[in-house]
Structure formats: C-alpha cells, structure tokens
Amino acid sequence: ADASFNSSTENVTGTLTVAQFNALTQGTHTIFVHGKDAAGNWGATQSATFVKDTIGPVTSATAVAPSPANAAPTVTATETDATSNVAAAEYFIDAAGANGAGTAMSAADASFNSSTENVTGTLTEAQLNAPHQRRNTIVVHDNASAGPRAATHAAPSHPATHHPAQRPTPRRPPR
C-alpha cells in the first residue's frame, strides 16, 4: 500500500470501476487476486466474494384488517429480497415518508432473518383517531440488510365513522 513494489510482501488494494460494477448482475460475485514477482513469475490466486445488492426488497400482499375499523386495525405484508435478508419494514398513513420515519413493523416470526418475511403492525389509537376520519391508504415499505429501500405498496383502510343517532324532525300539527 506504499505505492512501491519494493518488498517481498506487499499489501495491495484495488477498486472496481463504476463501469465494471454497473456491468455486474445482482447477486454474488468472486474477485480473484494474484501477484507477480520481480522475476516475472505469477503466484497462485486467492479469492474473495461480495454481493451486489442495489435493489431493495419487493413488498406484496399488503392488507389492513378490519376495514372499516372502529378499533386500531392490523397491517400485514410480505417482503421479499432477491439477494439479502429483509432487515426492517415500516408503514405510513396516506403517503410514504422518508426512509426510517414510518411506524416500525415486526417480522411475523419475531426475527428478520430471511430473504422473505411476513410482517405485521397495528395502528395506534392515536393514528386511528386522527382528525382525517376518512378513507386512508396504508403505505408499507421495507429495508434489506444490504441495499436500498424498496418501492412502496399500498392497501386501503376505511376507518369507521361514528354517527350520532338521528332523531326524527318533529312535525308541527296542522292548523
């Protein structure tokens, strides 16, 4: 790493170019390295692997139940990542916000340890009773253990509204 090949042992580094990296498919790749001595002899190769993961997980099967709801409903979804484990999921009400700013969801099996995870979360009473009392869209997105956030997937939620009992309008007696 001293930029001079002047010793019998040298630490070396190399970085793929943007073009080399972009040409790789998603998934596992192997890098092979070997050295050459001053006499022109190449040594044996050593290898190391890495995973290219530039695409976030896919969110599917998003549902909110019960709907309409007069108590906090539960949000469920399935998260699937092609190259790494799903690490987190979150939901938003009506519009997706910044990554990590939503309400955290849990893995249905209690552990984010797989490339496919069923996730669940329950709206809080405060979220349910927010002043918008109308049809809401629940937006779910996730995070793989490597790579970016995925696109969002939405499911409608219909908060039940409470209407006071209507009383009949009194009629005036005829004159």
Side-chain angles (χ1 to χ4, degrees):
D2 62 5
S4 299
F5 289 102
N6 58 3
S7 173
S8 62
T9 301
E10 292 287 344
N11 291 320
V12 296
T13 61
T15 303
L16 277 74
T17 66
V18 171
Q20 289 170 321
F21 183 76
N22 288 343
L24 296 173
T25 59
Q26 297 291 307
T28 303
H29 297 279
T30 305
I31 301 290
F32 294 91
V33 178
H34 65 151
K36 181 177 158 182
D37 66 17
N41 302 307
W42 285 99
T45 59
Q46 291 288 310
S47 65
T49 61
F50 74 97
V51 176
K52 178 180 179 179
D53 184 359
T54 59
I55 300 172
V58 174
T59 303
S60 62
T62 304
V64 179
S67 182
N70 60 8
T74 298
V75 181
T76 58
T78 300
E79 310 298 343
T80 304
D81 192 88
T83 54
S84 59
N85 288 348
V86 174
E90 61 186 355
Y91 70 84
F92 297 89
I93 299 174
D94 293 330
N99 292 339
T103 302
M105 298 179 77
S106 301
D109 65 359
S111 181
F112 284 104
N113 60 0
S114 174
S115 62
T116 298
E117 292 287 349
N118 293 316
V119 296
T120 185
T122 301
L123 273 70
T124 65
E125 287 297 322
Q127 289 169 324
L128 178 70
N129 295 320
H132 43 72
Q133 286 295 321
R134 57 178 165 70
R135 179 182 172 100
N136 295 315
T137 300
I138 306 299
V139 180
V140 176
H141 72 169
D142 48 44
N143 187 22
S145 56
R149 291 274 183 181
T152 58
H153 191 264
S157 169
H158 307 275
T161 55
H162 300 283
H163 299 287
Q166 293 185 354
R167 295 184 183 160
T169 305
R171 293 185 178 203
R172 293 184 181 198
R175 292 185 184 194

